[in-house]
Amino acid sequence: MDMVKWAPLVVAVFLLGLVGSSVSLAAFTPADSFLLACGSSQNVTFLGQTYVPDSAQSSVSLKVHGDSYVATSNSTAPFPIYQSARVFRSPTSYRFDIEREGRHWVRLHFYPLPGQNLSSASITVVTEDFVLLHNFSFDSYKGSYLFKEYAVNVTSNSLSITFIPGNSSVAFVNAIEVVSVPDNLIPDQATTVSPYGQFDGLSGLALETVYRLNMGGPLVTAQNDTLGRTWENDVKYLHVNSSGVNVSVNPSNIKYSDAVAPEIAPNYVYATAETMGNANVANVNFNITWVLQVDPNFSYFLRVHFCDIVSKSLNSLIFNLYINTDNALGSLDLSNVAGNLDVPYYRDFVSKVPADANTLTVSVGPDTAADFPNAILNGLEIMKISNDAKSLTGSLPVDTLLVLPPKKHKTGIVIGSVVGGVAALILCGLCYFCLVARRSKEAHQGSSWLPLPLYGNSLTMTKMSTTSQKSGTASCISLASSNLGRFFTFQEIMDATNKFDEGMLLGVGGFGRVYKGTLEDGTRVAVKRGNPRSEQGLAEFRTEIEMLSKLRHRHLVSLIGYCDERSEMILVYEYMANGPLRSHLYGTDLPPLSWKQRLEICIGAARGLHYLHTGAAQSIIHRDVKTTNILLDENFVAKVADFGLSKTGPALDQTHVSTAVKGSFGYLDPEYFRRQQLTEKSDVYSFGVVLMEVLCTRPALNPVLPREQVNIAEWAMTWQKKGMLDQIMDKNLAGKVNPASLKKFGETAEKCLAEHGVDRPSMGDVLWNLEYALQLEETTSALMEPDDNSTNHIPGIPLTPLEPFDNSVSMIDGVNSGTDDDAEDAATSAVFSQLVNPRGR
C-alpha cells in the first residue's frame, strides 16, 4: 500500500483519541510479532509500537550472502523509524522463527536516507515461495518513502525474507514487521463478480494491500487498530466529490456480532461512512463511485464494510453494490442482513483486471424499489492476489530470481499430497459408482423421484443432500411430488430470454435476476435465475420452492417449470402483465384503480392468505405481506407472491412460533416485533396495512411527512376512529365510493390493526367482511343503507345476522383447500413476487 501523505496523522490520532477514548477494542494477541528497526542501534517507537534493532532480536537470524552495512542520517527523517537502514550489496535473508503457522503480515518500510545514494537502488524482495517486490527504485517513484504490506501464509516453522539488489546496485530496508494474523481474517474462498463464480485457494496465495479506506472518516493508524493496520480517508478517490456526504456516530455505538469481530475492522471504521449527497433529488439513480488505480492483469481481493449508522428504523436502507459494471450485491437490506442497526457487516469478492485496464471502480447506489433512496459504504479494502508465477509484481517466479535451498519436509509433503490425491480419486470413483448403481436400481424399480438441487449439479448440493438424508429432512425437493412442472434445458432458457438480455430484465433481488422471456410457442414467461452469491437469497429461494411444492390455489403463485442444468437454479413462471399492486397505487403514471377493482384485489389477496392459514395440513404464515407481494395478471386477478420468508405455523398444541423478526418495516406486527412470537395474526396485521395503503395510496412509512403521518397504520387509525376516512382516502375516489362500503372497509382494517393479535380477526373473517363491503358497493343507491351488522339487504348472503368477525364463518366458497376451482385455476395462475420494482428485506 503506497501511502505518501501521512501529514494528517497527528491530527487524526488526536481526533480519534477525543472521539473514542472511552472505547475499548477487543485485544488480539499475535503468536508472532517481530518489529525490526533495521540498522538501528537502539529501540525506536513509532505509532505506539516499539521496534527493536534487527541485530538484537534473538528469534531472527540475518543470513548474509555478501556484504551489508548500516546507513544512518542525522538529517530530519519523516519519522524516527526512517533514521536508519540496512543496505545489501548481495542477496541477504532475514530468517524468522515462527511460533504458529498461518497468515502473517509482512510489512516493509523504505526511505532513501539523504547522503547515502540510495535513491537509485534497485530492490527485489522474495520469500521462499513468493515475489513481493521486483526492481523497485525511488528514481521513478513520486513519494518520499514507501510502505508495503503483504499477507503471506506461513506453512512451516520459519519464514525467510530475502533482499536482492539489482545489477551493480544495492538493496536496502529501514524496518520490517512480521506479525500473526487471526485465522478467520482472510478466507480461502470469495465470490468472483465477472464472470460470476467462486474463487478458491486464497489461503495458498500471497496478498498485497493496495488500498484500505475509511469512508467518511480520518486516518486510522495502528494505535486504533488491533491488527496494526492503517486506514486512509477516501476523499481523493471519489469520482465526484459532491456525490458523497460524510456521516459519523460515536464509535461506542458500534455493536459487533458473532459474525463480525473487531479484528475485521475497528469500530472507528464502522462509525463513519459516505452516504448519498442528496437522497431526495428528482433523479435518484446516481451512485457514489470510487475510482482506484491498480496494476493490470492481476486479480484483486475486495472486502466491503457496511454498518447502518444512518437509519432510524430497520429495513429502510436498501441499496446496490457495483464492482466495475457488475452488480455484486443487489437489493441489500443492510439492517436485515446485519441483524440490527449499528451492527457491522462485510462481504468479500474477487475481481480480475484485464491487461488493457488499470482501474477498479466500486460504487453504491439506491435500489430502484426503495421507498427512500440512499446508499452507504463504511470501509473498503483492496488487495492484489499473486499470479500464476507466485509474484505480486511481474511474471518471474522466485526460482528465477534466487535459487534457495530446498525447504525442510518438502519431499514428505509432496509424497503425502500424491498419496492423498490418489486416495481421494479412488474414493470419488467409488462414490460415483455407488450413486450410478443406486440410480439405476431406482430406475428399474419405476421410481419417479428425482432431486432438484438447490445449488444445481454441484458438489455443494451433494453435501447438502447427504446431510439432509442423514438428518431425515428434505433438503432436495421431489420433482414428481412438488408439481414443479416442465423441465427446461438451459438452452431453452437462453433462447427465451435472448441470452439473458439486459433489455429484458424485470428486476434484481437478493435471489438474483428476473427476466421476461418468450417460449417457442409464444407464451410469455418470467424467468427467475437464482444467485448463490447471496446467503439470504439462497435461503429464500429454497423456502419458496418448498412452499410452492405444497400449495395450489387460484390466488397463490404456481410454477410453469424449472431448469437445473449447468449448476443453475432457474424457475419459470407465467408472466404477470400488470405487475405488483403497489405500482397501481402510487409512484407510477398508471391509471388509478376504481374502488370496486381495489376491493376485488383485496378480496383475492385475502383468499390466498386464508388458504395459506387453513388450506394445508399445517398452517403457513407468509410473514411478508405487502403491496409489492400482491401481483396482478392481465385481468387484475390478485395473486399472493414471494414465499421466501414464509414459516410453518404453530402446531395444534402451540400458540405461536418463536423466530427471529423478519419482514418489511411498516408492515410488521408490533406484537411479533416485541416478543418474536409469530402467529397467523401477524399476517392479518400486515394485511391491515395493505388495506390502508390501498385506500390512501401512499407508502406504509414515509419519513418525509410530519411525525404523526409517518406511519400509515397509526395515522389512518386516528381518522378511522373519528369516522372520517373519506378525508384521507385517494382523491381519485372522492364521490365514487358507497359510504357504507367505505365504513365496512375501514372497520375491517381497524380490526386487523389491533395492537394485540388476540383482538384481530382471522383471515377468513377478513375475507367475509371484504366481500360484504364489495356487495355494499354493488348495492344500488336506491336501497337503504343497512345497519352496521345487518345483511338483510344484501343479496347472496345468508339472512341470519352475523357479527362482522364471527369465528363461525369458517368456510367460504372457493377458499377451502379441496375445491375444484383451485385445481382448475392452479394451471393458469403462475406468478411470483419481485417481477417489477423488486426490493430486498
Side-chain angles (χ1 to χ4, degrees):
M1 178 166 54
D2 302 344
M3 295 185 185
V4 181
K5 297 181 180 179
W6 291 49
L9 174 61
V10 176
V11 175
V13 172
F14 175 73
L15 289 175
L16 287 173
L18 289 179
V19 173
S21 58
S22 63
V23 179
S24 60
L25 297 177
F28 167 73
T29 304
D32 301 298
S33 182
F34 303 99
L35 306 179
L36 304 183
C38 301
S40 177
S41 59
Q42 58 187 3
N43 291 353
V44 176
T45 301
F46 177 57
L47 295 179
Q49 301 184 105
T50 300
Y51 294 72
V52 302
D54 58 353
S55 58
Q57 174 59 262
S58 59
S59 297
V60 178
S61 57
L62 185 63
K63 185 176 181 182
V64 182
H65 300 281
D67 294 333
S68 75
Y69 64 92
V70 172
T72 60
S73 174
N74 294 325
S75 63
T76 304
F79 302 103
I81 201 172
Y82 295 125
Q83 290 179 348
S84 66
R86 188 169 293 276
V87 185
F88 315 104
R89 292 194 178 97
S90 58
T92 305
S93 301
Y94 285 89
R95 183 180 180 276
F96 298 83
D97 295 334
I98 300 300
E99 292 285 336
R100 182 177 178 182
E101 297 180 6
R103 282 273 182 198
H104 285 66
W105 295 127
V106 174
R107 295 175 175 134
L108 306 175
H109 298 262
F110 302 94
Y111 173 67
L113 296 172
Q116 300 294 329
N117 195 28
L118 297 179
S119 294
S120 59
S122 177
I123 306 171
T124 295
V125 186
V126 302
T127 66
E128 295 99 322
D129 299 312
F130 297 100
V131 178
L132 306 183
L133 196 62
H134 185 215
N135 284 344
F136 171 80
S137 172
F138 275 90
D139 279 342
S140 57
Y141 182 66
K142 296 180 181 179
S144 62
Y145 59 88
L146 177 70
F147 168 65
K148 287 285 189 179
E149 180 184 84
Y150 307 93
V152 177
N153 198 14
V154 181
T155 58
S156 65
N157 59 3
S158 68
L159 170 68
S160 291
I161 301 176
T162 302
F163 295 83
I164 308 171
N167 294 332
S168 303
S169 181
V170 296
F172 72 91
V173 64
N174 300 81
I176 302 174
E177 303 174 38
V178 175
V179 184
S180 297
V181 173
D183 294 335
N184 62 348
L185 183 68
I186 301 176
D188 186 58
Q189 299 175 338
T191 300
T192 57
V193 291
S194 182
Y196 166 75
Q198 182 171 279
F199 191 100
D200 297 311
L202 278 171
S203 59
L205 303 173
L207 304 175
E208 175 189 348
T209 304
V210 185
Y211 297 98
R212 185 176 286 124
L213 305 182
N214 180 25
M215 270 58 182
L219 181 70
V220 177
T221 68
Q223 291 175 298
N224 301 101
D225 187 305
T226 58
L227 302 186
R229 295 166 295 193
T230 299
W231 304 72
E232 61 175 321
N233 181 263
D234 67 299
V235 165
K236 64 182 177 181
Y237 306 108
L238 275 172
H239 182 56
V240 179
N241 286 344
S242 60
S243 65
V245 168
N246 300 346
V247 294
S248 63
V249 297
N250 192 308
S252 63
N253 289 2
I254 303 305
K255 301 176 289 240
Y256 285 98
S257 65
D258 293 338
V260 184
E263 285 74 34
I264 296 298
N267 54 3
Y268 296 110
V269 172
Y270 289 119
T272 64
E274 296 277 10
T275 61
M276 291 176 61
N278 186 350
N280 296 313
V281 295
N283 179 14
V284 298
N285 294 320
F286 72 88
N287 300 326
I288 313 172
T289 300
W290 293 264
V291 181
L292 305 124
Q293 298 291 321
V294 293
D295 293 333
N297 214 26
F298 277 91
S299 291
Y300 289 83
F301 173 82
L302 296 91
R303 174 167 287 174
V304 286
H305 298 271
F306 303 105
C307 188
D308 190 348
I309 60 174
V310 297
S311 296
K312 302 302 181 184
S313 60
L314 296 172
N315 309 106
S316 57
L317 181 58
I318 303 171
F319 59 95
N320 301 316
L321 168 74
Y322 304 91
I323 298 176
N324 293 328
T325 58
D326 300 298
N327 191 340
L329 285 174
S331 299
L332 176 65
D333 186 342
L334 183 51
S335 62
N336 189 24
V337 296
N340 207 336
L341 303 178
D342 299 326
V343 175
Y345 178 74
Y346 72 95
R347 289 294 299 270
D348 296 330
F349 301 94
V350 169
S351 180
K352 172 76 173 179
V353 175
D356 59 350
N358 63 354
T359 61
L360 264 175
T361 62
V362 176
S363 307
V364 290
D367 187 70
T368 55
D371 288 333
F372 311 104
N374 204 351
I376 193 171
L377 186 60
N378 301 71
L380 173 66
E381 297 177 82
I382 299 180
M383 305 180 82
K384 185 195 294 186
I385 303 173
S386 57
N387 58 21
D388 292 340
K390 294 189 174 182
S391 174
L392 287 160
T393 172
S395 58
L396 297 178
V398 171
D399 294 343
T400 302
L401 299 174
L402 179 68
V403 178
L404 296 174
K407 292 177 69 174
K408 296 180 181 180
H409 312 304
K410 184 169 284 189
T411 302
I413 293 174
V414 171
I415 293 174
S417 300
V418 171
V419 173
V422 171
L425 287 174
I426 293 173
L427 181 61
C428 290
L430 289 173
C431 292
Y432 178 76
F433 176 78
C434 293
L435 181 61
V436 171
R438 179 179 177 181
R439 287 184 175 177
S440 176
K441 180 178 179 180
E442 289 175 349
H444 286 301
Q445 291 174 349
S447 172
S448 61
W449 188 92
L450 289 172
L452 174 64
L454 298 181
Y455 292 79
N457 302 319
S458 66
L459 181 61
T460 305
M461 184 57 213
T462 304
K463 291 179 180 177
M464 287 182 62
S465 301
T466 305
T467 304
S468 176
Q469 290 165 7
K470 288 180 180 178
S471 63
T473 59
S475 286
C476 292
I477 307 302
S478 168
L479 299 185
S481 64
S482 60
N483 300 312
L484 287 180
R486 170 183 168 185
F487 170 77
F488 289 91
T489 65
F490 187 69
Q491 186 58 50
E492 286 178 305
I493 299 295
M494 294 280 282
D495 293 341
T497 60
N498 193 24
K499 299 180 180 179
F500 297 106
D501 183 358
E502 291 301 300
M504 305 180 76
L505 185 67
L506 293 173
V508 179
F511 56 84
R513 296 179 169 232
V514 183
Y515 298 85
K516 180 180 177 181
T518 305
L519 303 181
E520 290 182 356
D521 61 1
T523 302
R524 292 189 300 171
V525 294
V527 177
K528 183 178 185 179
R529 189 182 191 187
N531 180 2
R533 279 184 283 191
S534 167
E535 293 88 348
Q536 175 190 355
L538 281 173
E540 295 182 14
F541 190 91
R542 173 178 175 176
T543 302
E544 187 158 356
I545 293 175
E546 291 175 341
M547 292 301 171
L548 286 172
S549 68
K550 308 173 188 175
L551 307 173
R552 292 180 67 84
H553 192 273
R554 179 184 183 187
H555 295 286
L556 300 181
V557 301
S558 58
L559 282 167
I560 291 178
Y562 69 96
C563 170
D564 65 342
E565 287 186 347
R566 305 187 189 182
S567 298
E568 292 279 352
M569 304 181 298
I570 298 175
L571 297 177
V572 181
Y573 304 82
E574 180 181 354
Y575 175 68
M576 294 298 290
N578 281 309
L581 169 60
R582 174 180 169 175
S583 64
H584 295 269
L585 299 176
Y586 52 87
T588 68
D589 295 328
L590 296 174
L593 298 170
S594 68
W595 180 240
K596 182 179 178 182
Q597 283 180 306
R598 299 184 201 208
L599 287 173
E600 289 173 338
I601 289 168
C602 291
I603 288 169
R607 283 177 177 161
L609 291 171
H610 179 58
Y611 171 74
L612 284 180
H613 294 176
T614 63
Q618 192 168 356
S619 66
I620 295 171
I621 304 171
H622 188 279
R623 206 159 55 144
D624 199 21
V625 177
K626 56 185 178 182
T627 50
T628 52
N629 287 339
I630 298 172
L631 300 179
L632 309 175
D633 67 9
E634 64 277 5
N635 297 316
F636 285 89
V637 174
K639 322 275 186 177
V640 178
D642 194 346
F643 299 92
L645 296 183
S646 298
K647 293 280 289 186
T648 303
L652 292 177
D653 59 344
Q654 296 176 321
T655 59
H656 63 269
V657 177
S658 295
T659 180
V661 176
K662 288 193 176 183
S664 297
F665 219 71
Y667 299 87
L668 278 175
D669 169 14
E671 190 172 56
Y672 169 40
F673 184 77
R674 287 193 306 268
R675 304 173 63 186
Q676 299 187 18
Q677 295 180 350
L678 182 68
T679 70
E680 293 92 342
K681 298 298 182 69
S682 299
D683 281 351
V684 173
Y685 182 91
S686 300
F687 190 70
V689 178
V690 168
L691 293 180
M692 286 306 181
E693 209 172 336
V694 167
L695 178 68
C696 304
T697 58
R698 52 147 287 187
L701 289 178
N702 190 348
V704 303
L705 293 174
R707 182 180 182 87
E708 68 276 5
Q709 299 181 27
V710 169
N711 187 309
I712 193 175
E714 297 174 0
W715 176 63
M717 280 303 94
T718 60
W719 289 93
Q720 163 62 20
K721 290 173 182 177
K722 297 175 186 177
M724 301 173 64
L725 270 185
D726 58 317
Q727 300 298 308
I728 63 170
M729 71 180 185
D730 184 4
K731 299 303 181 184
N732 292 299
L733 298 177
K736 302 177 183 177
V737 177
N738 184 314
S741 176
L742 178 60
K743 183 179 181 182
K744 180 57 63 180
F745 185 90
E747 290 171 348
T748 305
E750 182 179 7
K751 287 286 188 180
C752 291
L753 294 172
E755 182 72 13
H756 302 289
V758 69
D759 298 324
R760 299 174 201 146
S762 68
M763 281 308 305
D765 298 330
V766 173
L767 174 60
W768 188 93
N769 279 271
L770 289 175
E771 290 182 324
Y772 182 9
L774 176 61
Q775 295 200 39
L776 284 169
E777 176 62 25
E778 292 175 336
T779 302
T780 61
S781 59
L783 290 176
M784 182 184 301
E785 180 178 334
D787 292 337
D788 183 23
N789 293 326
S790 170
T791 59
N792 294 335
H793 300 283
I794 311 299
I797 294 183
L799 295 179
T800 305
L802 293 172
E803 290 296 321
F805 299 102
D806 183 358
N807 289 330
S808 66
V809 184
S810 58
M811 189 64 68
I812 310 291
D813 184 32
V815 176
N816 56 305
S817 60
T819 62
D820 294 336
D821 178 63
D822 291 339
E824 176 185 352
D825 290 332
T828 60
S829 59
V831 301
F832 74 100
S833 61
Q834 292 168 327
L835 292 181
V836 182
N837 293 331
R839 60 178 296 171
R841 299 176 184 83

